[in-house]
Amino acid sequence: MSALGGMRTPRRPVLVMMAALVMALAGCEYGGLDARPAPASSPVSPAPRSFEENAAEVVRLLGAPASDLGLPSEAEPAGKLSLVLAPGDYVVTGACAGVYGAKLTIVKGEGMPEASSFECDAALDRFVRHSGGPITISAVPPTGRPSATGVKVRPNTDRRASELEDFSEWSATQLLPYVPGESRGATSANSTAAGSLQAEPGQYELHFVCSGPPGAALSAASWAGAEVLAPVQVICDGQVFTTTLLLPTEGVDLTMSPGGGPDGRFAYKLVPAALNPVPPGSAGY
């Protein structure tokens, strides 16, 4: 018995080895395929729109039936309108799709092209005063198809835009000719208005003209606040009022008051005294 008992193999080391094997397998299973991070999916880019889809977007942006628009065709890749308009104020609109932006060009008769660049996220409106006759309007993208552009024209219904154009045309024709070294401005109002002109210290001639009300009170001060022209009444009959100003410091602020009533238009300029003698017929009262 003692001999047989001495030949028995101890069982404790076998149990230890089995436990170690289980732990090793468990470690391998923990780091298996299920624990690997999933690969990041690539973003899917939207498919580019076709020419027909871009043309439909242009029609939507212009907000009018396709029959009333200048749209691209097989023969003409850019949206274009060539027509004859009666004298009047109009609004020209351009739109594009399928590209970042485009260029809107307006040619009145045989005149020079008037071009404006715009982006395709919204339509572009341009006020146009036309003296009547042929006009060509086009919107051209920087690339060809599948991009699309379109144009339309309609009578202007914004009274303020027409009034602004009236004033712009009026002020451009006042106080001519232009003189080198002059500084000029213009404004309109039916109450007290202000204007400011850049000028170095020195002696100047102030040229002033107004229209609309019967007359306007005019005064001037330097930017530092010194009075350089006491209030004077000027007749608004289209005649140029001229007076001499001595600026002790830089700049001049003008104050014009039509005294209520109709809107007044005022144009004014400063000319160095040595460059432009006081013209005959200067008006004031």
Side-chain angles (χ1 to χ4, degrees):
M1 292 290 293
S2 61
L4 292 174
M7 293 178 61
R8 291 178 179 173
T9 304
R11 303 179 67 178
R12 186 179 299 274
V14 175
L15 294 175
V16 173
M17 290 177 63
M18 290 178 66
L21 180 60
V22 170
M23 292 182 63
L25 291 174
C28 291
E29 185 176 345
Y30 181 79
L33 295 176
D34 293 342
R36 295 178 185 175
S41 58
S42 301
V44 178
S45 300
R49 289 187 301 200
S50 66
F51 169 74
E52 290 72 19
E53 290 172 322
N54 286 326
E57 174 66 8
V58 168
V59 172
R60 186 192 69 81
L61 289 171
L62 292 176
S67 58
D68 297 337
L69 307 178
L71 293 173
S73 63
E74 293 294 339
E76 178 59 64
K80 186 175 182 179
L81 281 174
S82 294
L83 62 167
V84 176
L85 295 178
D89 293 344
Y90 297 88
V91 175
V92 170
T93 305
C96 58
V99 285
Y100 176 76
K103 182 190 293 183
L104 176 69
T105 303
I106 302 169
V107 181
K108 303 174 188 175
E110 300 297 326
M112 296 296 294
E114 304 171 19
S116 302
S117 296
F118 65 100
E119 298 177 9
C120 295
D121 55 353
L124 171 70
D125 287 336
R126 281 281 309 274
F127 176 90
V128 175
R129 174 159 290 175
H130 189 40
S131 58
I135 187 170
T136 300
I137 308 157
S138 62
V140 181
T143 59
R145 295 188 175 215
S147 61
T149 59
V151 293
K152 74 175 181 180
V153 60
R154 66 189 188 278
N156 175 63
T157 57
D158 185 350
R159 180 179 60 84
R160 295 170 299 177
S162 294
E163 291 175 349
L164 183 61
E165 186 69 12
D166 292 340
F167 174 70
S168 178
E169 291 179 353
W170 176 85
S171 60
T173 59
Q174 305 303 309
L175 305 178
L176 298 176
Y178 286 85
V179 178
E182 73 172 34
S183 177
R184 66 169 55 209
T187 189
S188 64
N190 61 3
S191 59
T192 301
S196 188
L197 295 175
Q198 169 77 39
E200 297 297 324
Q203 188 167 351
Y204 293 86
E205 291 171 2
L206 172 63
H207 296 227
F208 177 85
V209 64
C210 56
S211 71
L218 172 68
S219 61
S222 70
W223 284 356
E227 183 180 81
V228 294
L229 176 65
V232 59
Q233 288 292 324
V234 179
I235 300 174
C236 294
D237 59 356
Q239 297 295 312
V240 179
F241 169 82
T242 305
T243 188
T244 300
L245 295 185
L246 180 61
L247 294 182
T249 55
E250 181 183 13
V252 62
D253 289 325
L254 304 177
T255 301
M256 301 146 279
S257 179
D263 288 352
R265 296 175 177 178
F266 312 103
Y268 42 87
K269 72 176 180 179
L270 278 182
V271 180
L275 296 179
N276 193 11
V278 176
S282 299
Y285 72 92

